[in-house]
């Protein structure tokens, strides 16, 4: 079944924070747009796929969306609940909601040079078992689908038998399914991955008395929120490489030699690695202290 949607000036793919920010800017210029979002809500990473204790790792002035700053009553590092509250206000303030088409999965996009229009095909997921194709056309196309949109669980050897009811009662979840450590108190839990999500989930598990182990495979930089804030400020005045050098020195001063605990340091600086490879430094929220005290066991392989 096919449906032809009315043409608009701008077609946006994704109703995450980038899509909402773009929508606000368009609304202020009275430019008509439509947002195609495959989930059933906007900002789904924050509303559906993030854990309870999550906070912004950067200070709020570096994370606020355009034309509507965070309330002055919010702390420097905004919590997940506060961020969602602000996004709800943002959508209402700029009247973005009516322009969002939920549960639309974009299948293809092509540019017609004869008409100078973008043509987008999307599947309407609102009617399971009855495929509906929708077509949109607009002068401009904005792709705001994000860099962490598709959860991935690798096919690790032994994973199937670990989960099999015939051999055990093991449970495997992706970090997007994790909310808090309450269900895991007293249980053995292995966290695979030492990025920001893995490190903070391990901390949350340890705080809920889970017997927590953390797999660290690659070298990582560990910084505090305050260090990152200082680094971002210094970028205005100091060369990039000097900031990286300072961050490495501060990390060593605050955390000591973490390689003794199974967390090796990369050769390149933390901000260089973010710019060159898209690899973020770990922002420590208390995990290192738990590792040093033995409450979190580090496993290298």
């Amino acid at each position: 079944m096919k449906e032809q949607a009315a043409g608009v000036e701008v077609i946006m793919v994704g109703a995450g924070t980038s899509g909402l920010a773009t929508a606000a800017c368009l609304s202020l210029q009275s430019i008509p747009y439509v947002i195609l979002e495959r989930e059933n809500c906007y900002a789904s990473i924050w509303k559906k796929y993030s854990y309870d204790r999550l906070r912004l790792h950067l200070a709020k002035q570096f994370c606020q969306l355009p034309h509507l700053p965070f309330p002055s009553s919010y702390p420097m590092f905004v919590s997940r609940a506060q961020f969602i509250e602000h996004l709800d206000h943002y959508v209402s303030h700029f009247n973005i909601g009516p322009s969002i088409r939920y549960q639309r999965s974009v299948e293809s996009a092509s540019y017609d040079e004869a008409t100078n229009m973008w043509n987008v095909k999307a599947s309407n997921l609102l009617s399971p078992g009855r495929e509906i194709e929708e077509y949109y056309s607009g002068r401009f196309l904005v792709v705001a689908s994000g860099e962490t949109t598709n959860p991935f669980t690798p096919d690790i050897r032994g994973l199937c038998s670990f989960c099999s009811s015939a051999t055990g009662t093991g449970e495997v979840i992706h970090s997007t399914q994790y909310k808090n450590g309450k269900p895991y108190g007293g249980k053995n839990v292995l966290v695979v991955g030492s990025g920001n999500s893995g490190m903070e989930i391990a901390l949350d598990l340890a705080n809920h008395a889970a017997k927590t182990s953390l797999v660290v495979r690659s070298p990582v930089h560990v910084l505090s929120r305050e260090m990152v804030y200082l680094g971002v400020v210094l970028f205005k005045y100091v060369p990039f490489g000097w900031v990286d050098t300072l961050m490495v020195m501060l990390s060593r001063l605050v955390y000591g030699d973490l390689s003794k605990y199974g967390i090796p340091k990369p050769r390149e600086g933390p901000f260089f690695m973010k710019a060159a490879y898209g690899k973020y430094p770990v922002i420590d929220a208390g995990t290192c202290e738990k590792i040093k005290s033995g409450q979190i066991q580090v496993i290298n392989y």
Side-chain angles (χ1 to χ4, degrees):
M1 183 177 177
K2 297 182 179 181
E3 289 188 2
Q4 184 73 34
V8 292
E9 192 77 359
V10 180
I11 302 169
M12 273 191 282
V13 182
T17 51
S18 294
L20 297 179
T22 305
C25 295
L26 293 172
S27 295
L28 289 176
Q29 300 297 323
S30 299
I31 299 173
Y33 61 89
V34 64
I35 304 178
L36 305 177
E37 168 57 51
R38 69 180 180 181
E39 297 286 347
N40 60 1
C41 65
Y42 54 83
S44 61
I45 287 181
W46 286 90
K47 290 195 167 189
K48 295 174 62 176
Y49 302 120
S50 57
Y51 42 90
D52 295 342
R53 63 163 289 131
L54 181 63
R55 283 183 176 271
L56 292 177
H57 285 151
L58 294 178
K60 63 181 180 181
Q61 62 264 40
F62 301 116
C63 301
Q64 58 196 14
L65 275 62
H67 305 296
L68 190 65
F70 286 116
S72 58
S73 60
Y74 279 16
M76 178 180 291
F77 301 106
V78 177
S79 71
R80 171 180 178 265
Q82 290 168 326
F83 192 67
I84 291 173
E85 178 185 60
H86 183 64
L87 288 178
D88 289 340
H89 177 54
Y90 195 86
V91 170
S92 174
H93 181 81
F94 293 105
N95 196 31
I96 298 171
S99 297
I100 304 177
R101 305 290 183 269
Y102 293 112
Q103 293 189 267
R104 264 64 170 194
S105 177
V106 173
E107 306 296 334
S108 65
S110 60
Y111 184 70
D112 187 339
E113 294 186 359
T115 61
N116 294 324
M117 299 287 282
W118 282 95
N119 297 310
V120 174
K121 182 177 78 170
S123 292
N124 186 329
L125 308 178
L126 290 171
S127 303
R130 189 169 66 95
E131 184 177 352
I132 300 176
E133 293 179 352
E134 295 180 348
Y135 293 84
Y136 299 81
S137 60
R139 289 183 58 202
F140 302 97
L141 174 65
V142 177
V143 179
S145 53
E147 62 178 347
T148 55
T149 55
N150 296 310
F152 174 70
T153 301
D155 185 14
I156 302 171
R157 185 177 61 186
L159 199 61
C160 291
S161 59
F162 175 75
C163 299
S164 171
S165 59
T167 58
T169 57
E171 176 190 2
V172 176
I173 64 169
H174 190 271
S175 60
T176 54
Q177 299 171 279
Y178 180 88
K179 292 304 176 186
N180 57 66
K182 291 179 182 178
Y184 304 99
K187 297 181 180 180
N188 294 312
V189 184
L190 176 66
V191 180
V192 180
S194 56
N196 279 294
S197 294
M199 285 283 200
E200 194 156 0
I201 287 173
L203 171 63
D204 194 52
L205 287 164
N207 286 340
H208 285 88
K211 301 172 184 176
T212 309
S213 299
L214 174 69
V215 173
V216 178
R217 183 175 63 177
S218 304
V220 294
H221 284 289
V222 178
L223 306 176
S224 68
R225 288 188 175 98
E226 291 74 17
M227 290 178 199
V228 174
Y229 175 75
L230 174 62
V232 173
V233 172
L234 286 177
F235 279 139
K236 298 179 181 179
Y237 313 102
V238 181
F240 192 94
W242 292 12
V243 176
D244 256 357
T245 300
L246 177 61
M247 292 301 105
V248 172
M249 292 172 58
L250 286 174
S251 178
R252 180 63 181 259
L253 181 64
V254 172
Y255 298 107
D257 182 8
L258 292 177
S259 64
K260 296 189 299 184
Y261 302 95
I263 306 176
K265 181 183 68 177
R267 294 183 178 180
E268 297 159 314
F271 290 111
F272 174 85
M273 293 185 67
K274 169 61 179 72
Y277 314 122
K279 186 171 183 179
Y280 291 85
V282 167
I283 313 301
D284 180 58
T287 309
C288 288
E289 182 180 346
K290 296 285 186 182
I291 290 172
K292 290 179 179 180
S293 68
Q295 295 179 67
I296 297 176
Q297 177 188 3
V298 172
I299 300 173
N300 302 112
Y301 73 95

